[in-house]
Amino acid sequence: MKELKILAVLIVIVGVTYWGIEPLAHSIMHKHIEEAIHKYHLPDYEFSDLGSTPPLDGDPAKGKEAFQMFCASCHGLKADGIPAPMDPKTAAMSFGVVPPDLSNITSYTDKKFLFHFIKDPAKASEFKKIAMPAMGLQDEQIADIIAYLDSKAKKVHGEELFKEACGRCHGAKYQKIYAETPPDALKKYLGKVPPDLSIIMKAKGEHYLVAFINKPQALLPGTSMPRVGLNKEATEDLMKYLDEISDPHKEQRQKVGIIVLAYMLVMIGLTYAWKKKIWKNIH
Amino acid sequence: MAEEKVSRRDFLLYAMGGWAAVGLGGVLYAMYKTWEPLPEVKAAGIVRFDLSKVQPGQLKVVQWRGKPVFVLRRTPDMDKCDNRSIANEYTVVVGICTHLGCIPNWEPDKKIFKCPCHGGEFNACGVNIFGPPPRPLEIPPFKLEGTTIVLGETGPEYEKMMKG
Amino acid sequence: MEKKGGLMGWLDKRLAVDALWKVMMSEYYLPKNINFLWSFGVLTMLVFVILVISGIFVLMYYKPDSHMAFDSVNKTIMMDVAYGWVFRHVHAVGASIMFLVLFIHMGRGIYYGSYKAPREVVWVTGFILFVLMSATAFTGYLLPWGQMSYWAAQTITTLFSKIPFIGPDLVIWIRGNYIVEDATLTRFFALHVTLLPALILVFTAIHLYAVRVVGSNNEDGIPMTKEEKKEKGIPFWPVFMSKEYFVMSVFLLFFFFLVFFNYKFAMDPINFQPADYLQTPPHIYPEWYFLAFYEVLRGFFFSETLGLIGFVLSMFLPLFLPWLDTSPYPYISGKHRPLFKIMWWIFVVDFIALTILGKLPPTGLFAWLGLITSLVYFAFFIALPIISKIEKKKVASGGGQ
C-alpha cells in the first residue's frame, strides 16, 4: 500500500513535468502559429482573400489559341504535344526558376486561385519577386485558358504530384528526387536554397504544413515560398506522400511495438509471481 | 516443505529465464538483420546488360558485385557449349579463375581464356581445358528479359542450366 | 555447502568466484525497510547496458563527418538498415530516460539521507557519474547534426567564453574552429563513444564497491550492525533481485511504450532539419534533463555574470550535500526530519518548475518566475546547515526519537 502511494506520487511528478515540457511548452511556443491559422481560417481552399471570381466556363478551343499566344513562350504543355520552349537549365538562368509544364496544373491547383494567379501572379502568390509577370489578359481569355488546361489535365498522385507541384524548387534526396531548377539559380531567385523535403513531415508535422502551403506568408512572414494554391485533394495526397517517405517504417514500428509490449506484460506476470514466491516468508 | 518451495521457485525461475531467452532471441534477430547489406547495395548487386550490343566474336566485360563478368558472343568456329550456352550464342561467365582467383585474359587468335598466374586455360565456353583449374568458370545467376540479361536474379534458363 | 566440481570449482580455485558472488550478491544484505525506490540504482545500470548495446549498433552506420552525419542518421540508420530505427529510437529514448531514472535515484538518496556519513563516497562517486552521464548526453546530442543538436552545442560551448581571461581562446580550442564545425563533431564523437563511457564504467565499479562496504541506507536511516544484517536483512540475491526483476519489467514496459509510441519528447522535431550555422531556429532549448540548470542560467535575467555563477553552482552544489547537512543520528532520513522534509518537497517542486520554465520563452512573467524559482533552488542548500544546527541542538538536549 505504501509502495503504491509512492508510485502514485512518482507518477504525478513525472506526469506534471511531462505535461509542462511537452504539451504546455509547445502550445506556448507555437501560439503565433495557432493564432495565424485561426485568423485566416487555414487551410482556406476558397482563397477568399483574393476576392470574387467570374464564372469559369470558358471555351477550350479559344483557350488553346490564347495559350499559344500568351503562355507558350515560357510554358510547355506536353499533354497536348507542346514542348517546353527552353531546356530547364537555360530557363532557370533566364527566369530564376524553371517555368512549369502546365499539362496537369488544374488537377492539383484550385481553379479560382489559378484565375487570380494568371491575372496577377505576385498578388495571388503573395511573393513579389515571382518570375511570372501579369499578362494583362481579359477575364474571358483567362477562363478560356483554364478551360483548355482543364480539358487536358489528368490526376497525378504521390511522387508524380510531388515532382509537379513542388519539384521545381524542392527536392527529396532520400527518394533521389532533386529540384528541377539548379540550386545556385534558386539561391539567386529566392535568397536561399529551399529545404529538402525528404523528412519535412517529421520536422514540421501535417498540421503546420497544410496551413503553411495554403498561405505561407501567414505562418512565416517574409518567406520566399510563394502561395501555389494547391487544392484540398492535392494537399491531402501530398501529405500522405510526405508522411510515407519521411517515416517508411511506421507500420513495422507499430506492429513490433505491440509485440514488444505484449511480451513485457507476460514478463511482468512471471516476475511478479516469482517475487511473490520469494517474499512469502519475509516481513 | 522446504524442498517443494525450492522446486516451485525453480520452475518460475526457469519460466522467467526461458521467456527472457525468447526476448533475447528477438533482439539478436534484429541485430542480425542490421548487418545485412543495405538496400542500395542489394540494388547494385543486380546488373542489366543488353546482349545484342556485343558483336559476334567480341568479348565485353561487365562489372557485377565487384567481379568481372565476361560476355562473349561466340562465332560458329568456336566450341559448341550445349548446357553452358546462353541465348544460343553467348558465353556469360564470372571472369575469375577457379584455381586461385586471378583474372584470365581472352586470347582471340586461340579462342581461349588464359590465366596469367599459373597458365590455366579455358575454352570459349569457359570450360577448363588445361592446367591447374579444377572447374569451369562459374556462371553467374541470371535471368533473360528479351535480349537483356539480368545478372543477380535467377530465371528459368539459369535454373535449368544448374540442374542439367 | 555445495560440492565444488566442474567449471565452477575450477574457476573458484583461480578467481574465488564463490567469495565474489557472496560479497556482491548472496551475502550482501539490505535492510527490510526499503521500498521500490531502492530499485532505481539497478535500473540505471539496466539503462546503461541498453544504451551501450543500442549505441554499438548505431555506431556501425554512423558517420562522424559534418557533411554525412545527418544523412547517415536520418537516411541510413532510420530508413535503410533493417531495424536500424529500433536501435536509434532505443538509444535516443534511453538517453532521456536515463536521466529520469537518475533523478529519481538521486531524489530518493537525498530524501532518505543516503549521502550522509558514512556514505559520502557513495554520494560523491554517484555525483561524478551524474556529471559524466551529462557530458555523454551532451556530446551525443550533437552527433545527429540537426538544427537542435547544432545550436545546443553552439550556445553551451559559448558559455565557456565567459570564463575570465582564457574564455575566448578556450572556446575556440574546445570547438577546434571559430564556430561548431566538423572538428567539434568529430571530437565530441570520440569522447562520446570512448572516454566517457569508459569512465562511467570505472566509477560505476567504485560506486557499487563503496555501497557494499558501507551498506544500503533505509527508510528510517537506522544503521544495521554486521550481526543484525543476517537476521534482519534480506540478501541481494535472490530476495532483493526478485523484486528488482519485477520493477525492471514494469519499467521496461513503460520504456518500450515510449520507444515505439511516444518518442517525440526524446527526438525533437526541429532536429529533423539539418544543421545550418546561418539560421537559428525560433525556439531553442536543451534536452529536458538540463532545463532546470539552464533556467537558473537564464533566471538571473538582469545579470549575465550572476546567471553564470548560479548555473555552475546549481550543478555542483549537490556534490557538497554531505558537508552541508551534518545532522547526527537520529536525523538521517527525511522521514524523521520535519524541517528537512518541508525543504525537500519545496526543492522537488521547484526543480520541476525550473524544468518547465526552462522550455518556455523567458519573457514577462516567465522571466520573473525564473528568478524566483532559481533563488528557491539555492534556498534548499542554504537551509541545510541551519536545519543541521537546530537538529544538533535537539540531540544535545536529549531530543529526537
Side-chain angles (χ1 to χ4, degrees):
Chain A
M1 209 48 222
K2 184 186 70 190
E3 300 218 299
L4 282 179
K5 263 190 218 161
I6 296 173
L7 182 64
V9 170
L10 207 58
I11 289 171
V12 169
I13 288 179
V14 174
V16 168
T17 312
Y18 179 80
W19 169 81
I21 59 173
E22 283 292 305
L24 176 73
H26 287 290
S27 73
I28 290 175
M29 281 189 285
H30 301 144
K31 210 167 146 199
H32 63 285
I33 288 169
E34 292 309 320
E35 279 169 1
I37 288 174
H38 188 71
K39 185 175 163 197
Y40 296 103
H41 304 288
L42 302 181
D44 171 17
Y45 294 113
E46 296 296 314
F47 301 95
S48 37
D49 61 308
L50 292 173
S52 62
T53 316
L56 295 172
D57 50 359
D59 173 9
K62 275 200 233 158
K64 183 168 183 173
E65 280 172 36
F67 183 88
Q68 273 162 337
M69 197 176 301
F70 299 112
C71 316
S73 54
C74 298
H75 295 280
L77 197 113
K78 284 192 199 119
D80 204 13
I82 305 172
M86 292 180 213
D87 67 284
K89 215 174 166 187
T90 325
M93 294 274 272
S94 37
F95 303 119
V97 63
V98 180
D101 182 277
L102 300 178
S103 299
N104 303 317
I105 189 101
T106 58
S107 75
Y108 52 82
T109 308
D110 181 79
K111 287 190 204 94
K112 273 176 279 176
F113 176 84
L114 197 56
F115 173 86
H116 291 284
F117 182 84
I118 296 172
K119 195 139 179 100
D120 187 349
K123 186 183 159 216
S125 67
E126 301 188 301
F127 181 56
K128 285 196 194 72
K129 290 194 294 175
I130 193 136
M132 173 159 159
M135 303 294 293
L137 301 181
Q138 306 291 321
D139 286 2
E140 298 79 51
Q141 283 175 308
I142 298 177
D144 289 343
I145 290 171
I146 291 175
Y148 166 61
L149 293 173
D150 207 24
S151 70
K152 298 291 167 200
K154 70 174 195 339
K155 281 253 167 302
V156 281
H157 300 284
E159 184 177 318
E160 219 183 324
L161 173 63
F162 175 83
K163 281 184 182 164
E164 290 207 15
C166 324
R168 289 179 303 122
C169 300
H170 294 281
K173 61 179 177 176
Y174 294 173
Q175 307 302 315
K176 299 207 159 50
I177 299 172
Y178 300 95
E180 212 181 323
T181 314
D184 41 336
L186 282 171
K187 194 167 181 189
K188 237 178 155 175
Y189 175 49
L190 301 168
K192 63 176 265 197
V193 182
D196 185 89
L197 302 184
S198 300
I199 53 171
I200 197 74
M201 187 57 99
K202 278 191 169 175
K204 296 291 185 187
E206 182 167 339
H207 180 63
Y208 178 89
L209 284 179
V210 165
F212 179 73
I213 293 169
N214 191 251
K215 194 169 169 67
Q217 294 298 337
L219 268 63
L220 197 61
T223 180
S224 311
M225 164 100 175
R227 174 159 67 171
V228 293
L230 284 192
N231 60 31
K232 185 161 187 271
E233 208 188 337
T235 309
E236 278 161 7
D237 196 310
L238 194 63
M239 288 304 121
K240 204 172 129 248
Y241 175 70
L242 289 178
D243 189 44
E244 277 167 15
I245 63 168
S246 78
D247 192 6
H249 298 301
K250 193 187 229 169
E251 233 170 79
Q252 190 190 31
R253 187 175 64 237
Q254 281 160 354
K255 219 174 78 191
V256 175
I258 299 278
I259 294 171
V260 171
L261 294 193
Y263 171 88
M264 283 322 302
L265 279 175
V266 175
M267 194 54 136
I268 288 174
L270 284 172
T271 48
Y272 185 70
W274 193 52
K275 190 251 165 189
K276 269 268 171 249
K277 190 74 215 162
I278 296 227
W279 282 66
K280 212 163 78 182
N281 300 322
I282 295 171
H283 287 300
Chain B
M1 208 192 98
E3 283 288 87
E4 202 183 87
K5 191 179 135 200
V6 169
S7 73
R8 170 124 164 86
R9 174 200 292 178
D10 277 355
F11 167 73
L12 275 170
L13 196 55
Y14 286 137
M16 251 168 59
W19 194 240
V22 170
L24 188 69
V27 174
L28 286 175
Y29 173 74
M31 290 174 170
Y32 162 79
K33 293 294 279 183
T34 63
W35 271 28
E36 286 189 342
L38 296 184
E40 58 189 281
V41 176
K42 280 186 185 159
I46 293 167
V47 175
R48 288 166 190 281
F49 181 75
D50 186 3
L51 291 174
S52 60
K53 279 195 299 191
V54 189
Q55 302 304 317
Q58 195 190 12
L59 176 92
K60 286 224 166 173
V61 181
V62 184
Q63 265 223 30
W64 173 72
R65 294 186 186 172
K67 298 172 199 156
V69 168
F70 296 151
V71 179
L72 173 71
R73 185 164 183 178
R74 293 190 308 275
T75 44
D77 56 326
M78 295 181 192
D79 297 278
K80 299 274 169 294
C81 296
D82 302 329
N83 195 32
R84 293 179 59 85
S85 181
I86 289 163
N88 298 323
E89 47 178 344
Y90 294 93
T91 295
V92 180
V93 287
V94 177
I96 288 180
C97 180
T98 50
H99 177 219
L100 289 174
C102 296
I103 298 173
N105 298 313
W106 172 243
E107 296 190 353
D109 43 340
K110 289 189 197 154
K111 302 193 173 27
I112 57 161
F113 295 100
K114 190 173 170 77
C115 182
C117 292
H118 304 95
E121 286 176 10
F122 303 86
N123 68 9
C125 307
V127 177
N128 48 323
I129 47 173
F130 176 79
R135 289 187 311 279
L137 293 174
E138 206 179 305
I139 294 175
F142 68 91
K143 194 169 92 181
L144 287 176
E145 288 175 359
T147 61
T148 300
I149 188 165
V150 185
L151 298 173
E153 280 180 11
T154 51
E157 295 89 353
Y158 177 74
E159 273 159 20
K160 201 175 134 210
M161 199 176 276
M162 288 299 107
K163 262 184 218 154
Chain C
M1 214 170 78
E2 325 161 37
K3 51 174 184 181
K4 292 204 179 116
L7 182 65
M8 288 318 286
W10 188 88
L11 269 179
D12 190 40
K13 275 196 190 124
R14 286 152 183 85
L15 287 173
V17 281
D18 243 32
L20 183 72
W21 177 256
K22 278 182 187 164
V23 170
M24 299 301 286
M25 307 293 281
S26 67
E27 288 179 17
Y28 164 49
Y29 290 97
L30 293 103
K32 267 182 208 163
N33 53 338
I34 58 173
N35 54 52
F36 77 92
L37 291 176
W38 265 264
S39 301
F40 277 70
V42 181
L43 283 191
T44 59
M45 288 186 57
L46 172 72
V47 180
F48 183 68
V49 169
I50 289 175
L51 283 171
V52 169
I53 293 171
S54 58
I56 288 171
F57 278 83
V58 288
L59 180 56
M60 287 176 188
Y61 289 97
Y62 176 74
K63 303 259 194 301
D65 176 302
S66 64
H67 299 289
M68 300 157 90
F70 184 83
D71 290 344
S72 76
V73 172
N74 289 299
K75 172 79 162 78
T76 314
I77 294 174
M78 290 293 280
M79 295 183 181
D80 292 349
V81 178
Y83 295 102
W85 57 269
V86 179
F87 290 96
R88 202 226 167 171
H89 277 217
V90 166
H91 202 66
V93 174
S96 218
I97 288 306
M98 172 58 104
F99 284 88
L100 177 66
V101 177
L102 271 182
F103 284 146
I104 294 171
H105 187 55
M106 293 167 86
R108 188 272 298 159
I110 298 175
Y111 183 82
Y112 294 111
S114 304
Y115 53 87
K116 292 168 77 79
R119 298 192 180 82
E120 294 97 328
V121 177
V122 180
W123 177 257
V124 170
T125 51
F127 181 81
I128 293 170
L129 280 169
F130 173 72
V131 172
L132 286 172
M133 205 59 85
S134 303
T136 315
F138 175 63
T139 49
Y141 197 59
L142 179 65
L143 304 186
W145 205 244
Q147 273 290 66
M148 208 51 128
S149 300
Y150 185 85
W151 289 97
Q154 184 83 308
T155 45
I156 299 299
T157 50
T158 306
L159 287 181
F160 287 96
S161 73
K162 315 287 181 187
I163 298 172
F165 308 116
I166 55 166
D169 292 328
L170 180 66
V171 71
I172 293 169
W173 179 77
I174 288 173
R175 291 174 182 162
N177 201 318
Y178 302 103
I179 54 167
V180 171
E181 244 302 345
D182 190 63
T184 329
L185 174 66
T186 314
R187 63 187 59 175
F188 274 32
F189 168 75
L191 292 174
H192 181 79
V193 300
T194 58
L195 182 64
L196 292 169
L199 285 175
I200 288 175
L201 276 179
V202 170
F203 279 92
T204 304
I206 304 174
H207 190 67
L208 290 181
Y209 172 71
V211 88
R212 272 155 182 75
V213 171
V214 294
S216 214
N217 187 26
N218 54 63
E219 282 183 351
D220 299 301
I222 304 167
M224 282 196 302
T225 61
K226 235 184 183 144
E227 294 69 44
E228 282 174 326
K229 278 183 181 169
K230 278 196 186 178
E231 281 171 34
K232 288 192 181 171
I234 47 170
F236 192 77
W237 175 266
V239 180
F240 178 77
M241 282 307 287
S242 72
K243 186 173 171 182
E244 182 72 49
Y245 282 148
F246 172 62
V247 176
M248 270 185 187
S249 308
V250 176
F251 167 78
L252 284 177
L253 179 75
F254 169 67
F255 177 74
F256 284 118
F257 166 74
L258 296 176
V259 164
F260 290 103
F261 299 105
N262 198 355
Y263 45 84
K264 281 203 179 128
F265 77 99
M267 297 162 85
D268 199 285
I270 298 172
N271 225 19
F272 288 109
Q273 293 173 281
D276 179 354
Y277 64 92
L278 292 176
Q279 193 182 28
T280 315
H283 300 284
I284 61 162
Y285 35 81
E287 283 290 85
W288 71 268
Y289 37 86
F290 294 138
L291 285 172
F293 309 109
Y294 181 67
E295 184 58 19
V296 175
L297 173 72
R298 301 195 306 181
F300 299 91
F301 55 86
F302 44 84
S303 158
E304 193 189 32
T305 319
L306 268 182
L308 276 165
I309 294 171
F311 175 64
V312 174
L313 278 180
S314 70
M315 291 216 288
F316 288 95
L317 267 182
L319 172 63
F320 301 102
L321 273 181
W323 296 279
L324 289 172
D325 175 8
T326 51
S327 296
Y329 182 78
Y331 296 108
I332 303 290
S333 166
K335 202 175 162 188
H336 304 302
R337 303 171 70 188
L339 285 174
F340 178 89
K341 204 194 246 176
I342 294 168
M343 286 314 292
W344 186 86
W345 274 109
I346 292 175
F347 182 70
V348 168
V349 171
D350 185 66
F351 195 82
I352 296 168
L354 280 170
T355 301
I356 294 173
L357 286 166
K359 202 161 180 176
L360 300 176
T363 46
L365 177 67
F366 296 143
W368 285 100
L369 283 175
L371 176 64
I372 295 165
T373 45
S374 300
L375 292 172
V376 172
Y377 181 92
F378 294 109
F380 177 71
F381 296 95
I382 296 167
L384 282 179
I386 302 169
I387 294 173
S388 298
K389 226 173 201 172
I390 298 169
E391 285 170 345
K392 264 183 200 161
K393 257 187 208 158
K394 273 194 195 163
V395 173
S397 63
Q401 287 97 337

